[in-house]
Amino acid sequence: MSIYQIVLCTVLSLGVLGTGALLDYRNLDRDRAARTTDFANPNTLLTGRAKQKEDHTKGKATS
C-alpha cells in the first residue's frame, strides 16, 4: 500500500467518523427538543438555541 492510499484511507475514515458524530449530536439535540416540547404551550415550540438567543437579547436590552 502506498503512502497516498494510506493518507486517503485515513482522511476518509476521519470524515466518516466526523459525519457520524455530527449526526449523532443532531439526533440527541432533536430528541432533547422533543422531550421538552409542550405542544399546548407556544413558548416551548422554540428550540433551546432560539430561546437562549431570545433571552440573551432581552437581558442586554434591559440592562
Side-chain angles (χ1 to χ4, degrees):
M1 208 175 204
S2 73
I3 188 71
Y4 297 115
Q5 290 173 329
I6 293 172
V7 169
L8 179 63
C9 288
T10 302
V11 169
L12 290 176
S13 297
L14 290 175
V16 167
L17 290 174
T19 302
L22 178 66
L23 291 175
D24 192 40
Y25 174 75
R26 290 180 62 197
N27 192 25
L28 289 174
D29 194 37
R30 186 177 62 228
D31 288 347
R32 182 211 42 85
R35 284 193 306 272
T36 59
T37 301
D38 176 16
F39 291 99
N41 183 357
N43 291 329
T44 63
L45 296 178
L46 296 172
T47 64
R49 290 187 200 129
K51 279 195 258 184
Q52 289 173 356
K53 286 181 183 176
E54 193 174 283
D55 293 341
H56 192 279
T57 56
K58 285 181 185 175
K60 283 195 174 204
T62 58
S63 56

